[in-house]
Amino acid sequence: MIKANDPSLKSWVEVPETSDFSIQNIPFGIFCASNIPHRTTTAIGDKVLDLAVLHNSGFFKEIELPDGIFEQSTLNNFMALGKPVARLVRNRLSDLLAVGNEELKSNESVCAEAFHEMSEVQMLMPVQVPNYTDFYSSEQHAFNVGTMFRGPENALMPNWKHLPVAYHGRASSIVVSGTDFHRPKGQTKAVDAEQPSFGPCKLLDFELEMAFITCKENPLGTPVSTADAVDHVFGFVLLNDWSARDIQKWEYVPLGPFLAKNFASHVSPWVVTMDALEPFIVSGPDQDPEVLPYLKYEGDAHFDINLQVALAPDSTEETVVANSNYKYMYWNVKQQVAHHTGNGCNLQVGDMYGSGTISGPEKEEYGSMLELTWRGEHPIQMKDGTERKFIQDGDTVIMRGYSEKNGVRVGFGEVKAKVLPAQ
């Protein structure tokens, strides 16, 4: 069988040169259409492919798959079959879509039923998320924020370079790209005010993040080592983990953010597998001081994924405000999983783990408006002539991400959402 990561592979399905969905990608998602409630799908070029149609037509007969596995509303049960099964499905799809294979191409009736234009279907939330953890793993972001509030001498807290800092967030308000949302409300307290007040957030911000999703459970009380961590990670999505900065400033002591974060987090609809991203694994930064033994790992464990953030005021052209890269993370996925389970915490299928805001060393690589405008001191000029310190009502934030190497592009599409006025 063809291996999906082969850089020489070409598809008989037309794939635009700038498409995120090459034959080397083969991501997984959930779609619906006018006569289809929900189906598991993959993307190739500008089309989506209904995997239930292929399964029911016998194209996966060599793979042991449960009946109806691709006719469910989320990917959770498919992911729970394990990465080896998903790898077989992904390789089989690459085989069927490769130039020279007429097996699917020549079956006009199946093709007519299975292929849909991406623009004509609705992509749904890909997974049901039982639990959500948000890490804080970008050193530049932590340094920037710490510098603003404590000064550069005390920017990083004493624990930051010893463990992957994280908190447990709200899973129910994680929604798929394209889900517009209302500006959140909460308590804030002006510096010169005697009492706090309740009302709409005034300092709404995006946070450029990646998130990984787990597909394998560990029993309660059983840690997962850095060596075994990747066995638990199915794939990645783009994540915009919105933040209400003014609400957070007042509420976060002593237990951390609450209403400032639980109103909405948006993810891209396509789950790009660990397998697809394997060619783009790179080395990470040197970690000093030396980490404790349970956080040590072998090999490279960072990902070279180009990231972009654009902001589009209502009904106007978008302005790119940031270009960054996932490779800038200080703490990697192996370490995040090992630390998360170091006390025996049990992971579940579908759990989502945000990277924390991703910021690079240059200003244009910062992953939030808080940093890009430095608390609003340096507004960003929009193409329509307006300027932004933070996100305004009617603004749409669009995040994109892709990896590219040796002429092969593997991407995530985009995650976007529009901010509506507070209710």
Side-chain angles (χ1 to χ4, degrees):
M1 183 181 290
I2 283 176
K3 291 190 176 180
N5 286 359
D6 184 348
S8 67
L9 276 184
K10 301 294 182 184
S11 177
W12 52 264
V13 178
E14 182 181 358
V15 179
E17 188 175 337
T18 57
S19 173
D20 285 345
F21 306 113
S22 62
I23 194 172
Q24 287 82 10
N25 191 343
I26 312 297
F28 294 102
I30 301 291
F31 85 99
C32 69
S34 57
N35 59 338
I36 303 172
H38 42 69
R39 293 286 178 85
T40 301
T41 181
T42 192
I44 181 74
D46 295 329
K47 298 183 183 298
V48 301
L49 182 56
D50 188 333
L51 302 193
V53 173
L54 298 189
H55 189 205
N56 295 336
S57 301
F59 284 93
F60 296 128
K61 61 185 178 183
E62 302 301 324
I63 306 172
E64 190 172 337
L65 294 168
D67 292 341
I69 190 64
F70 297 128
E71 298 173 41
Q72 302 183 25
S73 59
T74 69
L75 294 173
N76 291 53
N77 287 337
F78 173 61
M79 294 190 301
L81 297 177
K83 290 177 69 172
V85 173
R87 187 173 297 126
L88 289 174
V89 171
R90 182 169 167 267
N91 285 338
R92 175 60 172 154
L93 288 167
S94 292
D95 193 4
L96 290 170
L97 295 169
V99 167
N101 188 332
E102 298 289 320
E103 191 177 350
L104 175 60
K105 183 181 180 181
S106 63
N107 195 323
E108 295 182 6
S109 61
V110 171
C111 284
E113 186 179 359
F115 281 102
H116 301 267
E117 295 295 329
M118 194 176 295
S119 61
E120 296 178 359
V121 303
Q122 180 184 354
M123 296 304 300
L124 306 175
M125 184 70 187
V127 296
Q128 191 275 320
V129 183
N131 305 285
Y132 171 55
T133 298
D134 191 25
F135 285 94
Y136 190 57
S137 292
S138 165
E139 182 178 4
Q140 187 65 55
H141 173 68
F143 178 81
N144 289 343
V145 175
T147 297
M148 290 179 203
F149 297 105
R150 293 183 296 274
E153 298 80 10
N154 300 304
L156 296 182
M157 299 299 284
N159 64 352
W160 200 90
K161 286 199 170 183
H162 292 277
L163 58 88
V165 174
Y167 75 97
H168 292 293
R170 184 70 182 179
S172 66
S173 53
I174 300 175
V175 292
V176 74
S177 174
T179 307
D180 297 340
F181 69 103
H182 292 274
R183 178 174 294 271
K185 294 180 180 178
Q187 276 197 27
T188 58
K189 183 179 180 298
V191 175
D192 57 352
E194 292 186 7
Q195 296 293 329
S197 60
F198 182 85
C201 159
K202 295 179 181 178
L203 305 180
L204 181 62
D205 201 356
F206 64 77
E207 291 189 357
L208 172 62
E209 301 194 26
M210 297 291 301
F212 67 87
I213 300 167
T214 46
C215 61
K216 181 180 179 181
E217 300 183 352
N218 60 304
L220 182 66
T222 306
V224 177
S225 68
T226 56
D228 295 332
V230 294
D231 294 337
H232 293 258
V233 179
F234 185 83
F236 293 79
V237 292
L238 299 172
L239 170 66
N240 183 352
D241 192 27
W242 301 89
S243 186
R245 300 292 182 188
D246 47 348
I247 296 173
Q248 184 170 339
K249 182 180 179 181
W250 171 240
E251 74 177 6
Y252 85 101
V253 177
L255 296 181
F258 187 42
L259 299 189
K261 301 291 293 184
N262 68 3
F263 56 92
S265 297
H266 284 76
V267 297
S268 53
W270 295 105
V271 181
V272 177
T273 65
M274 280 280 290
D275 287 347
L277 293 171
E278 186 176 351
F280 309 101
I281 293 176
V282 295
S283 61
D286 293 333
Q287 294 185 323
D288 183 26
E290 184 178 5
V291 300
L292 294 175
Y294 80 103
L295 291 173
K296 292 182 178 179
Y297 65 96
E298 295 185 359
D300 294 333
H302 290 67
F303 296 87
D304 184 3
I305 301 174
N306 301 297
L307 300 169
Q308 181 187 87
V309 185
L311 197 160
D314 200 9
S315 302
T316 66
E317 185 180 0
E318 70 177 51
T319 300
V320 174
V321 298
N323 286 287
S324 196
N325 196 296
Y326 188 37
K327 68 184 179 183
Y328 292 135
M329 305 307 291
Y330 187 86
W331 298 103
N332 61 55
V333 169
K334 292 181 179 181
Q335 294 173 313
Q336 289 169 337
V337 170
H339 183 65
H340 201 302
T341 62
N343 63 350
C345 177
N346 54 319
L347 310 179
Q348 292 186 290
V349 174
D351 282 355
M352 191 170 289
Y353 309 79
S355 61
T357 304
I358 301 166
S359 293
E362 304 299 328
K363 179 182 177 181
E364 61 270 18
E365 296 176 318
Y366 293 169
S368 67
M369 292 295 282
L370 178 69
E371 298 165 89
L372 290 166
T373 68
W374 209 256
R375 288 190 294 186
E377 294 174 12
H378 306 289
I380 297 175
Q381 195 77 14
M382 298 288 104
K383 288 184 178 180
D384 68 352
T386 62
E387 61 181 27
R388 291 293 183 276
K389 297 179 180 180
F390 288 91
I391 308 302
Q392 297 183 9
D393 291 348
D395 289 349
T396 297
V397 174
I398 309 108
M399 295 179 177
R400 304 179 177 97
Y402 70 93
S403 297
E404 196 162 23
K405 181 180 178 182
N406 298 327
V408 172
R409 181 177 172 121
V410 171
F412 294 79
E414 62 183 26
V415 53
K416 64 189 297 185
K418 183 175 182 177
V419 181
L420 306 175
Q423 290 182 308

